[in-house]
Amino acid sequence: MHTHIVPPDVVRGRRRYSRADLWFGRLYRNERRVLASADDLRRSMRRAGLAASVAFGFAWRDPGLCRANNDYVLDAAVASHEGGGGQILPFCVVPPGDLDFAAAEMECCRARGAVGVGELFPQGQGWNLNDRSAVRAFMDTVRSLGLILTVHTSEPVGHAYPGKDSTTPNAIWSVIEAAEGEVPIILAHWGGGLAFYELMPEVHQLAHNVYYDSSASHLLYRPEIYRVMSQLAPGRVLFGSDYPLIRQTRAIRLAREAGLPANDLAALLGDNARQLGLAGTACRETA
Ligand SMILES: [Zn+2]
């Protein structure tokens, strides 16, 4: 569900881009933090035996950088269709606070094959989740375009790390309310703990179209998280790696070793994504 790819120019020029975007700099100024191109992702998918990967760029604050990254991801998706092997399912990134740009860009990207928008990064992109009317206007646009939304989320407690931001379950709730259950929303990194509150009936009622991906799980939780999340949100857990933060082969191995019953593992590794419409033709052929 969750991979990031950037144009080779960003890989080579990370210092320049680190100055252009505060949060990109925080995450990637350090040369040891790996950045991946589309070619890297295709090689990784082949190695991991993956039929499809959802890919998106970095959630830039600047509209022009978003657009350039989207063009790259969309081109990579087309090339993956033509090239055989694993398919790239493209999402697009937009600065959600700039609604005019975001609406036009999402429409354009959808016409070129984007199936979703994200991974959005509220704090890095300056998206004010307390501005309910703006959040509603953005979500209305996402709904009208029939896109899936994915958002970076963080835990309100626990250790600090470079990507930890203010998008806690409490903060993301305005987005879920505005979606009124009609926009599939994928919360990254297991949703920062929101699934626990789905044990409250009124929360579950609004969150029934919220999905949770396992990206970066190895840096955050004990392996039991796979079983707990599969119980808290059955049918709504999606395998994600956060590649290139972790190799896809390793992320899959860790998921397989988490002790899930076979049907829950199959749901995590593809069945739930297919239900959501996230399937490459390669998936359909083998299904
Ligand atoms: Zn993230």
Side-chain angles (χ1 to χ4, degrees), residues 2 4 27 56 119-121 150-154 161 163 188-189 213 215-216 242 245:
H2 188 129
H4 294 275
L27 287 163
F56 28 73
E119 178 195 20
L120 300 185
F121 192 5
T150 184
V151 189
H152 177 84
T153 45
S154 295
Y161 52 88
H189 320 302
D213 87 28
S215 56
D242 214 352
L245 178 72

Side-chain angles (χ1 to χ4, degrees), residues 105-191:
E105 179 67 6
M106 288 191 291
E107 193 171 351
C108 174
C109 290
R110 194 195 59 156
R112 291 179 57 195
V115 288
V117 57
E119 178 195 20
L120 300 185
F121 192 5
Q123 190 173 348
Q125 296 185 294
W127 188 18
N128 181 2
L129 298 175
N130 292 318
D131 185 342
R132 299 204 169 235
S133 64
V135 166
R136 186 163 290 275
F138 178 77
M139 292 307 293
D140 286 347
T141 307
V142 175
R143 173 174 25 204
S144 71
L145 291 170
L147 293 169
I148 299 167
L149 171 69
T150 184
V151 189
H152 177 84
T153 45
S154 295
E155 316 72 36
V157 294
H159 66 283
Y161 52 88
K164 190 150 180 153
D165 80 341
S166 57
T167 314
T168 56
N170 192 29
I172 200 64
W173 190 247
S174 63
V175 173
I176 293 164
E177 271 184 332
E180 294 176 344
E182 290 172 14
V183 179
I185 298 172
I186 302 166
L187 299 183
H189 320 302
W190 294 125

Side-chain angles (χ1 to χ4, degrees), residues 237-261:
V237 289
L238 306 172
F239 170 76
S241 56
D242 214 352
Y243 172 88
L245 178 72
I246 179 174
R247 291 192 309 277
Q248 288 181 307
T249 45
R250 181 171 171 230
I252 291 172
R253 179 167 51 78
L254 293 176
R256 286 188 192 281
E257 289 172 357
L260 284 177

